[in-house]
Amino acid sequence: MAAPAMEGAAVTALRSVLYRVRQAAEKSGRRSEQVRVVAVGKTKPISLIRQLYDAGHRCFGENYVQEIVEKAPQLPEDIEWHYIGHLQSNKVKSLLAAVPNLAMFESVDNEKIANHLDRYIANNGRKPLKVLVQVNTSGEASKSGVEPSDCVELVKHVKLGCPNLEFSGLMTIGMADYSSTPENFRTLTNCRSEVCKALGVTEEHCELSMGMSGDFEQAIEMGSTNVRIGSTIFGPREYPKKQVN
């Protein structure tokens, strides 16, 4: 009996998030349309995602390959899916085959995964896939992502060596307790400056994906164009006893 109320709460929470995004964008001198909200349905049922879809939202994300592979085929084709987790190269085929409407791969963290994505797309006639290069700005060993000092080199590989990938910008995940988040966001902003200088492109052509449920307003104020919101919209995550990626 609790499900309908919970689903209604998710739609209400999404509207609240969109309002807060608009406020933060205006504070940073931008329009809310310049910030993309990715609703991350990690561990949540398809019915909740469908509720947000019916309310007009179209951009959703997952960071476990088995979840997006299961959910995407059961949901409308005009959803713009973002994959935001670390992906092993042997899972590239299952991800791209099951999710033809994957709009962006946010977590290119090494040349190997870039090469596998590029090769699969070339061999299967997909249009080029938008990708973000993930940077480990917090220096935590548990986090995926290239070191900031190696960011330009990986971006160049994607841009020059992977013709079926469309380099779209940079992504980071801050510290779990958000204690050094401004520093993390500043590091990603600095990486963008270096990348744009090396490639000869303007910063408007290099997205920054940073900010999650606990820090998305600050991230937007510091220049984020893409925020990934999970628990603030969907409620606390419900992990099974054993989670296998």
Side-chain angles (χ1 to χ4, degrees), residues 15-133:
R15 292 197 177 114
S16 173
V17 164
L18 294 175
Y19 173 78
R20 291 166 64 188
V21 166
R22 186 163 64 248
Q23 297 287 99
E26 288 173 0
K27 205 169 175 181
S28 68
R30 291 181 293 159
R31 303 185 311 276
S32 59
E33 296 80 21
Q34 293 173 288
V35 182
R36 184 189 303 107
V37 175
V38 183
V40 182
K42 182 180 177 183
T43 78
K44 297 300 180 178
I46 289 170
S47 59
L48 273 182
I49 296 173
R50 186 71 204 221
Q51 285 283 321
L52 298 188
Y53 176 89
D54 290 343
H57 200 68
R58 290 295 180 270
C59 191
F60 294 90
E62 295 289 343
N63 62 343
Y64 284 120
V65 70
Q66 77 271 19
E67 281 202 69
I68 194 170
V69 163
E70 176 192 338
K71 292 174 180 178
Q74 300 182 59
L75 288 159
E77 293 179 359
D78 64 335
I79 283 178
E80 297 176 8
W81 287 103
H82 284 223
Y83 187 77
I84 59 177
H86 175 72
L87 185 70
Q88 297 171 327
S89 54
N90 63 355
K91 300 283 183 69
V92 165
K93 180 179 178 181
S94 55
L95 171 66
L96 295 183
V99 193
N101 50 333
L102 186 68
M104 183 176 280
F105 185 92
E106 290 206 18
S107 40
V108 170
D109 52 11
N110 58 62
E111 290 186 6
K112 185 178 180 183
I113 193 67
N115 292 341
H116 274 79
L117 289 165
D118 182 69
R119 194 175 305 124
Y120 181 90
I121 293 167
N123 293 338
N124 291 274
R126 285 180 61 123
K127 67 179 183 179
L129 176 65
K130 291 183 177 180
V131 301
L132 303 179
V133 164

Side-chain angles (χ1 to χ4, degrees), residues 140-156:
E140 295 171 279
S142 60
K143 294 266 174 66
S144 298
V146 67
E147 292 296 316
S149 58
D150 297 325
C151 176
V152 170
E153 185 180 346
L154 181 53
V155 169
K156 282 183 175 179

